[in-house]
C-alpha cells in the first residue's frame, strides 16, 4: 500500500494480485518496468521473474521485498532481477531507483 501511495504521485502503474497475473500483464500491457515481490500467491516472484525475463530479457525487473537475506538476493539475481531492494525503503530511494530504469 505504501508503494501505491508513493508511485501514484509520479507514475502510471497497475498492480498484479499474484505472480501469474504479473506475467500476464507484461504480455498485455508492455510496461517499462516491473516491481516484483518475492512472496505472492499462485506463482512466487522468482518464477514470475524467470517467465518475464524469458519473454522480455531487456525489461527491468526490480524486487522489492521484506526478505533481506543474502540467499534471497542471490535467488533474485539468479532468476534475472535487475535490482534488489528490501523493505522498509524510503520513498526517495524508490523513486531514484525507478528513474534509473524509466527516467
Amino acid at each position: 500500500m505504501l508503494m501505491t501511495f508513493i508511485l501514484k504521485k509520479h507514475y502510471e502503474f497497475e498492480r498484479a494480485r499474484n505472480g501469474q497475473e504479473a506475467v500476464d500483464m507484461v504480455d498485455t500491457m508492455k510496461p517499462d518496468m516491473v516491481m516484483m515481490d518475492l512472496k505472492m500467491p499462485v506463482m512466487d516472484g522468482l518464477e514470475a521473474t524467470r517467465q518475464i525475463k524469458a519473454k522480455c530479457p531487456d525489461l527491468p525487473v526490480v524486487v522489492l521485498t521484506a526478505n533481506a537475506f543474502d540467499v534471497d538476493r542471490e535467488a533474485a539475481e539468479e532468476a534475472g532481477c535487475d535490482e534488489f531492494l528490501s523493505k522498509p525503503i524510503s520513498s526517495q530511494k524508490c523513486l531514484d531507483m525507478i528513474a534509473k530504469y524509466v527516467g
Side-chain angles (χ1 to χ4, degrees):
M1 297 309 274
L2 176 60
M3 290 311 304
T4 299
F5 179 76
I6 293 168
L7 294 176
K8 73 179 180 179
K9 292 182 178 182
H10 304 279
Y11 297 98
E12 289 182 35
F13 69 96
E14 295 291 330
R15 187 170 178 226
R17 292 173 290 207
N18 60 62
Q20 182 61 59
E21 190 173 294
V23 172
D24 295 343
M25 288 171 77
V26 166
D27 289 338
T28 60
M29 301 185 77
K30 310 295 185 217
D32 295 321
M33 186 184 120
V34 174
M35 291 187 75
M36 184 73 68
D37 195 353
L38 295 181
K39 295 198 183 229
M40 292 187 293
V42 181
M43 178 189 299
D44 70 29
L46 295 175
E47 182 57 30
T49 297
R50 284 185 203 96
Q51 289 189 24
I52 289 168
K53 285 297 199 170
K55 296 182 217 181
C56 306
D58 296 330
L59 179 63
V61 177
V62 176
V63 167
L64 179 60
T65 184
N67 300 347
F69 298 107
D70 287 340
V71 67
D72 299 312
R73 180 181 301 273
E74 291 167 9
E77 289 172 1
E78 287 174 15
C81 292
D82 297 282
E83 193 96 29
F84 186 94
L85 301 171
S86 57
K87 298 173 188 174
I89 183 171
S90 73
S91 58
Q92 190 58 54
K93 183 174 180 179
C94 181
L95 292 171
D96 290 346
M97 181 276 311
I98 293 169
K100 175 180 170 180
Y101 292 101
V102 298

